[in-house]
Amino acid sequence: MIEGSMDRIKENIEAWLKEDIGTGDVTSISTIPAEHQSIGYIHAKEMGMLAGLPIAKLVFEIVDPNIIFSEQAVEGSILNKGDTIATVEGNTRNILIGERLALNLMQRLSGIATKTNQYVKELNNIPVKVVDTRKTTPGHRVLEKYAVKVGGGFNHRMGLYDAVMIKDNHIKATGSIKKAIEAARNQVPHTMKIEVEIEKMTEIEEALAADIILLDNMSIDTLTACVNQIKAKSPHIILEASGGITLETIRGVALTGVDVISVGGLTTSVKNLDISLDLNEKKVIVQ
């Protein structure tokens, strides 16, 4: 996914750098000679899963192609406190210009990957996919969904354009679940799946015309009953559970027999992983 989006990511990085730099880094310009060279060490300050390493490298490449970025850790690996993630060597001013954006992105993406991996591990090999939602930071969706994949999760639709997902407001506007599904079938290509959200068992019969049924905000007992009823009638339908799912509840939800569990919290309730960059005083070189 991220490979096909690199042009857009580069454009975003350039815009984010411009937002931060403005007319220039007045602190570095006023305190550090223009020709000053340094080696910086990017390291983890707490345990977590690493994501965003290629993005951090790209930030420094855009700031200064002469900066040497050397990876010391592997994307998707578990970091321990104190582990060195990468070194950056080159012009000191430019290292400091790229520092904050590179760290911000890597901290955010590592936090998402870490949380996703926690959810995936809770399933303990139950054959259920943990997927993200559209609840992403504007302008960062591609990166955040990439981080979910690094953490072992899967992506739901990327946007409004790549799948039909009929939710409560669509049903209200259309008049019924049946009418909404029929309208979608008449409009979209046969290759596009149609998903519909239901909140109670009485809506199952109409929803069986869809390819995917989202079981939203249900108790374990109701969820189990819905899964059993739907699979007995239409075993080909993909079943997705969503709504307030936590690390404490996801295993119980998975055991109901659903195929997919979507968790908005993978990208909305995330603690950034603490990552820092320090210059090594002993290896600073002035030309």
Side-chain angles (χ1 to χ4, degrees), residues 2 28 43 98 139 143 184 189 220 249 257:
I2 197 168
S28 294
H43 58 92
L143 293 178
I220 293 296
T249 63

Side-chain angles (χ1 to χ4, degrees), residues 21-53:
I21 298 167
T23 57
D25 177 4
V26 294
T27 308
S28 294
I29 291 172
S30 62
T31 60
I32 301 171
E35 67 279 3
H36 198 278
Q37 302 284 306
S38 295
I39 296 178
Y41 291 81
I42 299 174
H43 58 92
K45 299 182 73 174
E46 61 180 327
M47 184 177 180
M49 177 171 279
L50 174 62
L53 187 58

Side-chain angles (χ1 to χ4, degrees), residues 156-194:
H156 208 289
R157 56 179 178 162
M158 284 301 296
L160 295 172
Y161 54 86
D162 58 346
V164 174
M165 187 168 180
I166 301 168
K167 298 174 71 68
D168 56 347
N169 284 329
H170 300 101
I171 294 165
K172 290 175 184 176
T174 310
S176 69
I177 291 173
K178 181 180 179 181
K179 288 180 180 179
I181 295 174
E182 288 176 350
R185 288 280 183 218
N186 290 330
Q187 292 290 327
V188 302
H190 70 281
T191 54
M192 185 173 286
K193 292 185 181 296
I194 295 175

Side-chain angles (χ1 to χ4, degrees), residues 128-149:
V128 177
K129 289 184 177 181
V130 178
V131 305
D132 51 32
T133 69
R134 283 173 51 241
K135 296 177 182 178
T136 54
T137 308
H140 292 254
R141 179 169 296 174
V142 170
L143 293 178
E144 292 182 353
K145 282 180 170 283
Y146 162 76
V148 167
K149 293 181 70 175

